[in-house]
Amino acid sequence: MLRLTPQNTVLNSASARRPCVVISAINSHNELPFTSNAPHIKTLVRRTHASSSNHHWKSLRPSFKVSSALKSDVSSKLSSLISLDTAVEAADATPLYTSVAQGTPEPLGPSKTPTGVNFAVFSKQAKSMSLCLFDSDAKPVKEIPMNRTGEVFHIELVNLPGAAVLYGVRVSGDGGWERGCRWDDSRVLLDPYAPLVQGRRLFGIRDSVENFRGKSGSRFLGTFDFSSEPFDWGPAEPARSKDGSKMARIHSDPTSGIVYEVSVRCFTADSSSGLPEEIRGTYKGLAAKAEYLKSLGVTVVELLPVCEWDELEFQRTPNPRQHMTNVWGYSPINYFAPMSRFAASGGGAAAASREFKEMVKTLHAAGIEVILDVVYNHTVEGDDDDPYTLSFRGIDNGTYYMVDERGAMRNHSGCGNTFSANHPIGKKLVLDSLVHWVSEYHVDGFRFDLASCLCRDPRGEPLAVPPVIKEIAQHPLLKQVRLIAEPWDLGLYQVGSFPNWDTWGEWNGIYRDDVRKFIKGDAGMKKALATRIAGSADLYNNHQRKPYHGVNFIVAHDGFSLADLVSYNGKHNDANGEGNRDGTNDNFSWNCGAEGDTDDGGVTGLRNRQIRNLNLALMVSQGTPMMVMGDEIGSTHYGNNNWYGHDTKLSHMNWQQGGKGFDKDALFRFTSKLIHFRKSHPVFRKQNFIGPSDITWHEDNWDNTESRFLAFTLHDKTGETGDIYVAFNSHSFPVTVGLPQAPHGKKWHRIVDTNLPSPQDFTDGNGYGGLGASYTMVGFSSLMLLAK
């Protein structure tokens, strides 16, 4: 630790006009702030010119001795931040800006003005705030005190360039933890409203730009691009307005959604993707697979979080997870900026913004909507035991996070902190950022992670009418996009009861569990399966809600893949470093007779059949179906049901093969055919909940808990596409079922028998028509017939 300690140091007006370098105390992490308003600063030291190239260090008042070792250390620290010989003089010769103006408190963040760039940052409790400027290489240039109006600090820099400028803020304040404050004026903090964020350039690879300092972590700086021409969305996609007056939807039919959950990084990072190395795991990489997604038949891609995050957050200190790289992204740093390291070739923040838009444009051209998984329940900044102060925590902790009456952090997210989304300032940020993504990036909706956290007040108490949820549902722009809640948090479970204003959809976790249990042969699940297939009216048939407000899924990112669901009885998370204690134990999975990889053909055949059974159940259910990347080809995570921290083959999609024993091509064919069949038959996509005229249940023994067979017919009342018969046999033995009478003048044609090998498992065209009055279904198989 280096400390310069002369007392009563004063910088006079003459010296202030000379080129100078401002030094503060170096903290225990060897981070050298280039200037500070903090009371712990002990001296200011200036560089004086000499005829030689040596640097001479002189105190201003009083004099003191500096050892040669200290001089060397100081020079070394400074040279890494700013060249003592040239940078200051160059800044004087070609300044970044020409003058400083008062600025305005609105809008928050950086904004282009007729004369320069305005900066405005909210902090109710801060005493002072200064703007820290950096050049495009993250070298510090200038620190300028900001003005204050009410609870907003602001300043305008006249003639500041509209791009290639990095910035942060340094904040000081009074009050301690008992007031919810967590000041740290040794840090340069990220503006919560920064539209772009610059950190390290390449995913998972440290560099000098991030200024990594061990436990205190990395530095992420805000930036902006007001200089580039507006993005050309093309004539096929009209502009979108923040007030909602201009908003073109890719699909106007709300029942059309078939959601594909995908990680931008993991989707194409593997060499088997066949993409050039520089675009693997990037926005460009995902865009390159648009035709693949179109051929699969999905209509919506749901991107795992793409707001800026620190993928190396676990590697700051020795801990059981220090080997991990966060590939999921559920640790946001900022809510406005697309992940900068998803730009191709380490192109940086502005390139990431442009390439994200190009990706959206490409997917839209393929008829595919883009929705984002957003994490407004917590941030990366952790708790008081392991804080990672990057932005909100150091700017106004008590406003942006839920704290109790003692000022302690509340943790309803399970991730150390809880974002205070119903505080007026937190709510404003949530709304502003959502509107930003829809209007600027043309995204088509959002899935809200742990959305029940957004149903709590700033003290963490549940709210019957949470303001942020209501205002999103009633916002003129946001009400026009898909809004999907993950309706639970660490203490609330709101499946079917999430506040919705007839607008919000929900992840249907009950659907997931009931379908898993029936298909693997659990007793007493027949009635539950029927309820889920019919659209979960017990959960959603109230007020003006519709079947499509329920998002049906069997697997999601946080859990087993579909192949692992039928291959493992228990989780195998040892690679995570937590002794297999992390990840859920409530998997309702079945390994079909052997744990993990096996050469037993009987086991692998049953697994392939069970995947088809699960997919058929999903695609014939009323509601909005969701699947996960790679499930269409039998991808595996090797039994790990919490694979968030592995930037390896454990998480990357293998495009050349599925898990052992799974026929990749046959599974893709079956899944794709099934999706397209659903899209072409409206009986699976009812606008309203189905009644007796829509469906016939071929069942008269609902209360027999030992029955593991269910059959029904969906009626095509238009006469255009035909009635559809579906049956599931989850007994371990064959069942011969008498087929119902087909509609007058028609016969039953087999479309699906999951027991048959590909391509007979799904018969193209009108299906196979040589059926008799009955059909024998083997154990653990499913059947779908079409009346033609």
Side-chain angles (χ1 to χ4, degrees), residues 577-620:
E578 298 187 60
N580 205 36
R581 293 185 301 274
D582 64 307
T584 183
N585 294 315
D586 299 324
N587 296 295
F588 307 115
S589 61
W590 178 41
N591 64 18
C592 297
E595 188 74 355
D597 288 352
T598 181
D599 293 319
D600 187 322
V603 171
T604 58
L606 178 54
R607 289 175 177 175
N608 278 273
R609 194 156 75 244
Q610 286 289 76
I611 280 186
R612 286 166 171 79
N613 294 335
L614 290 163
N615 271 329
L616 181 64
L618 180 65
M619 291 301 164
V620 301

Side-chain angles (χ1 to χ4, degrees), residues 455-456 461-467 469-470 494 497-501:
C455 297
R456 296 178 181 272
E461 296 300 317
L463 295 166
V465 184
I469 299 298
K470 179 179 180 180
Q494 298 177 299
S497 62
F498 189 84
N500 58 80
W501 285 271

Side-chain angles (χ1 to χ4, degrees), residues 199-208 210 311-312 325 341:
R200 66 184 71 89
R201 288 279 180 168
L202 297 173
F203 192 89
I205 300 176
R206 295 206 184 278
D207 59 27
S208 59
E210 67 181 295
E311 69 277 16
L312 300 181
T325 299
R341 287 169 296 290

Side-chain angles (χ1 to χ4, degrees), residues 479-498:
K479 69 181 182 182
Q480 299 184 61
V481 304
R482 294 185 188 271
L483 301 172
I484 302 169
E486 182 184 36
W488 52 80
D489 65 15
L490 215 56
L492 293 174
Y493 191 75
Q494 298 177 299
V495 175
S497 62
F498 189 84

